[in-house]
Amino acid sequence: GAGVSQTPSNKVTEKGKYVELRCDPISGHTALYWYRQSLGQGPEFLIYFQGTGAADDSGLPNDRFFAVRPEGSVSTLKIQRTERGDSAVYLCASSRTGVRNEQFFGPGTRLTVL
Amino acid sequence: SQQGEEDPQALSIQEGENATMNCSYKTSINNLQWYRQNSGRGLVHLILIRSNEREKHSGRLRVTLDTSKKSSSLLITASRAADTASYFCATVNTGTASKLTFGTGTRLQVTL
């Protein structure tokens, strides 16, 4: 079956602009996660959804970052007033129930802020 | 924030040799997982070991866990060129539901 998909695969934007990154999880997976990975580092947790609600948003770096999952499936990560330091690969993952299960990752969106 | 460190940061071996990577973490865990990443993009889950387990096998992979030392190791036996990738350990920490906290990764290069 289809895996986790993310669009776009690459996004180049200018400092100060607004961007949206989309994640389509595996069908039937109730848990969805966003991570951010900088060059040479491991992924860092941003936010976790269980269904439609954000169960843990403790990893969001500041209020410029926001994520939604209105129907419990597709999720959008939104970044306002982008800064050069936001440049990274943004990874989305989903899991069947979210209770300490294996997570399935998408290919990521590489965001470059000029 | 990163959970801990992996050792070595980079490892180069020849095809057929075994590769061992070590991971250290800082807090109490529910389970520890190993992931592989090719070309800096999507991660692939390899194996999960729970805090009450000490060793687990999956094909050519062997994972050990020592909770008293807060460390784990991943052994890949009879390595192949296709094993070339970055390998990350990730923990689900006690009391933090299911989010993963990743280590810094080991870059493995397997040459012919």
Side-chain angles (χ1 to χ4, degrees):
Chain A
V4 178
S5 62
Q6 291 186 246
T7 55
S9 57
N10 287 283
K11 176 72 177 178
V12 180
T13 190
E14 293 180 342
K15 181 175 177 296
K17 298 290 188 183
Y18 168 83
V19 296
E20 289 190 352
L21 311 179
R22 176 188 166 111
C23 172
D24 222 316
I26 294 173
S27 177
H29 280 194
T30 61
L32 185 145
Y33 311 80
W34 284 98
Y35 296 85
R36 178 169 72 172
Q37 186 176 23
S38 300
L39 193 62
Q41 299 293 314
E44 291 188 305
F45 169 79
L46 296 176
I47 187 169
Y48 155 51
F49 285 91
Q50 184 61 257
T52 60
D56 183 349
D57 65 357
S58 61
L60 294 178
N62 52 59
D63 61 6
R64 294 187 298 106
F65 289 74
F66 189 70
V68 295
R69 195 185 184 200
E71 297 178 358
S73 178
V74 170
S75 176
T76 304
L77 178 66
K78 309 180 181 193
I79 310 174
Q80 299 177 321
R81 304 183 304 280
T82 52
E83 299 177 356
R84 293 194 179 88
D86 298 335
S87 296
V89 175
Y90 289 80
L91 295 164
C92 175
S94 69
S95 68
R96 199 162 40 85
T97 65
V99 183
R100 308 185 188 105
N101 282 345
E102 168 189 356
Q103 295 183 20
F104 295 84
F105 282 79
T109 293
R110 184 179 301 279
L111 175 66
T112 303
V113 182
L114 301 176
Chain B
S1 60
Q2 306 282 184
Q3 164 68 292
E5 293 191 356
E6 289 174 63
D7 169 52
Q9 289 188 336
L11 178 61
S12 183
I13 60 173
Q14 290 193 319
E15 206 172 45
E17 294 181 335
N18 296 341
T20 299
M21 290 160 264
N22 302 295
C23 164
S24 62
Y25 58 91
K26 297 175 183 173
T27 62
S28 176
I29 65 170
N30 177 276
N31 67 64
L32 184 144
Q33 303 177 32
W34 285 89
Y35 285 80
R36 183 183 73 209
Q37 184 176 44
N38 291 86
S39 305
R41 299 304 281 261
L43 291 97
V44 175
H45 181 268
L46 296 176
I47 196 165
L48 180 154
I49 186 166
R50 302 190 190 285
S51 60
N52 61 352
E53 297 176 312
R54 292 296 167 258
E55 188 171 312
K56 207 159 183 183
H57 297 253
S58 177
R60 294 185 295 115
L61 306 180
R62 173 178 168 253
V63 168
T64 62
L65 178 64
D66 187 335
T67 53
S68 66
K69 295 181 179 178
K70 291 187 168 57
S71 68
S72 174
S73 67
L74 171 67
L75 168 68
I76 304 174
T77 60
S79 63
R80 305 167 182 167
D83 295 329
T84 295
S86 290
Y87 291 81
F88 293 90
C89 68
T91 56
V92 175
N93 299 337
T94 304
T96 61
S98 58
K99 72 182 183 186
L100 293 170
T101 303
F102 283 85
T104 51
T106 293
R107 289 193 315 279
L108 174 66
Q109 176 77 42
V110 181
T111 56
L112 296 171

